[in-house]
Amino acid sequence: MTSTTFDLHNKRILVTGGAGFLGRQVVRQLCESGADPQKITVPRSHDLDLRKMENCQRAVDQQDVVVHLAAHVGGIGLNREKPAELFYDNLMMGTQLIHAAYEAGVQKFVCAGTICAYPKFTPVPFKEDDIWNGYPEETNAPYGVAKKALLVQLQSYRQQYGFDGIYLLPVNLYGPEDNFDPSSSHVIPALIRKVYEAQQAGAATLPVWGDGSPTREFLYVDDAARGITTALQHYSECEPVNLGTGYEISIRDLITLLCDLMEFKGEIVWETDKPNGQPRRCLDTQRAKEKFGFSAQVSFEEGLKKTIDWYRQNPQ
């Protein structure tokens, strides 16, 4: 584990996306790690559009740390519908924010990437060194390539300017307060909502996209936030780092587990004319453990139960 420690005490910290699903947990854990809540700034997109350079410059002014979590992101449906927006918005936000932070003398920049950046066919578990060995899965590619460009930018700014930027690759997140909007949600909230609504309607069947064969790995949001704050304090190198659990589950087994936990007795109907997405996703998590001592703590079933309980109390 890297011995260097970046002290958060009295640091002025900008958290883009800090009002979002992951961002709220990151802000909470920054405070628990010694940051002053009064010195954490969370810009809102309706007040500060980070696709514009002047807004990035305003956002980073007088800041010591930038944690860049803001993203235009969604599931397969959104990726197919708006590839151009996903590419442009994420590239513009990230690349201008990094440059503005460098020019403003920001001490540390933490960038959340995406495992959509990995090639479509990557040896499983995904190792960080394999990230350039092919083109991403087509439906994710515009988003994944835009976010991967930020890794190149941070590495080159470190090389030329000595700018301390780190790049983290969190796997699919889930947990209470996730986005359950069917038009843009990821797989776990989408399936929880689908099962809940089928139960409410007394449906005998449950249609699910694809054939159930793809595998995914999921990280509980509290674990992800802890990984990000730990890396901020204890990691300062150019190589990207995966944040995950190393636990792989098929979509077929996931929906079966959700139906069991939610006590849904209907029949699952696979819509095989709909896309599957990337065939397999599972991360090698050794680098995070070795470099800054991070490993996930919340078990998958425990995390699912907490997420289901939250949604049942807050159906959307």
Side-chain angles (χ1 to χ4, degrees):
M1 178 173 164
T2 309
S3 58
T4 57
T5 299
F6 186 89
D7 186 3
L8 298 178
H9 184 65
N10 275 334
K11 292 290 193 293
R12 292 159 300 188
I13 305 174
L14 176 77
V15 184
T16 72
F21 171 51
L22 173 60
R24 287 191 296 271
Q25 296 301 326
V26 169
V27 169
R28 181 176 62 78
Q29 294 200 28
L30 285 171
C31 296
E32 290 176 3
S33 300
D36 180 349
Q38 301 301 316
K39 295 188 175 181
I40 296 176
T41 303
V42 176
R44 302 304 297 267
S45 57
H46 52 76
D47 297 324
L48 213 59
D49 182 348
L50 295 175
R51 294 172 300 179
K52 296 178 178 165
M53 185 59 167
E54 60 269 26
N55 289 341
C56 291
Q57 291 166 330
R58 281 174 54 200
V60 302
D61 185 44
Q62 304 297 312
Q63 300 293 335
D64 300 309
V65 178
V66 175
V67 180
H68 180 43
L69 308 176
H72 185 179
V73 62
I76 288 178
L78 187 70
N79 279 306
R80 294 173 83 200
E81 183 188 348
K82 297 185 174 179
E85 286 182 32
L86 292 174
F87 179 81
Y88 181 84
D89 291 355
N90 288 292
L91 185 65
M92 288 297 105
M93 274 194 291
T95 196
Q96 295 185 133
L97 195 68
I98 290 168
H99 190 72
Y102 153 66
E103 287 192 318
V106 166
Q107 296 171 30
K108 185 88 178 238
F109 193 106
V110 180
C111 184
T114 172
I115 59 157
C116 295
Y118 274 104
K120 179 175 183 177
F121 298 106
T122 307
V124 178
F126 295 2
K127 289 183 167 63
E128 293 93 342
D129 293 342
D130 291 333
I131 197 166
W132 294 105
N133 293 347
Y135 195 69
E137 195 276 325
E138 292 79 5
T139 54
N140 298 319
Y143 173 64
V145 170
K147 295 290 275 188
K148 190 155 61 167
L150 307 181
L151 168 60
V152 178
Q153 185 177 6
L154 288 172
Q155 289 176 329
S156 57
Y157 277 46
R158 180 182 290 274
Q159 181 183 342
Q160 185 173 344
Y161 305 133
F163 183 62
D164 188 5
I166 64 171
Y167 188 91
L168 306 172
L169 290 152
V171 78
N172 298 50
L173 304 181
Y174 74 102
E177 301 181 58
D178 203 343
N179 169 28
F180 287 84
D181 179 345
S183 69
S184 57
S185 59
H186 286 105
V187 62
I188 285 180
L191 291 176
I192 289 174
R193 178 171 179 152
K194 190 168 273 200
V195 174
Y196 177 85
E197 290 180 346
Q199 284 179 310
Q200 296 302 108
T205 59
L206 185 75
V208 181
W209 275 27
D211 63 14
S213 65
T215 66
R216 293 292 180 264
E217 175 184 343
F218 300 97
L219 182 62
Y220 192 64
V221 66
D222 291 33
D223 275 334
R226 187 170 49 80
I228 290 165
T229 54
T230 303
L232 165 56
Q233 295 170 88
H234 300 291
Y235 184 66
S236 185
E237 297 178 32
C238 66
E239 297 303 324
V241 184
N242 289 333
L243 296 179
T245 63
Y247 173 71
E248 183 180 14
I249 186 170
S250 70
I251 300 300
R252 185 177 294 275
D253 289 344
L254 169 61
I255 189 63
T256 301
L257 177 57
L258 284 173
C259 287
D260 287 347
L261 292 174
M262 298 178 74
E263 300 182 338
F264 176 73
K265 309 298 184 188
E267 179 191 356
I268 298 164
V269 177
W270 295 101
E271 298 185 305
T272 54
D273 59 322
K274 298 290 199 302
N276 271 329
Q278 191 160 19
R280 289 182 73 186
R281 269 193 204 157
C282 182
L283 301 185
D284 183 302
T285 57
Q286 278 304 109
R287 186 175 286 175
K289 200 168 195 175
E290 290 167 4
K291 294 293 186 179
F292 48 92
F294 171 76
S295 56
Q297 294 177 351
V298 180
S299 76
F300 189 48
E301 194 161 315
E302 178 190 352
L304 283 181
K305 285 176 181 174
K306 289 180 177 179
T307 310
I308 291 164
D309 289 347
W310 183 87
Y311 185 74
R312 280 181 166 151
Q313 291 164 27
N314 303 272
Q316 295 167 22

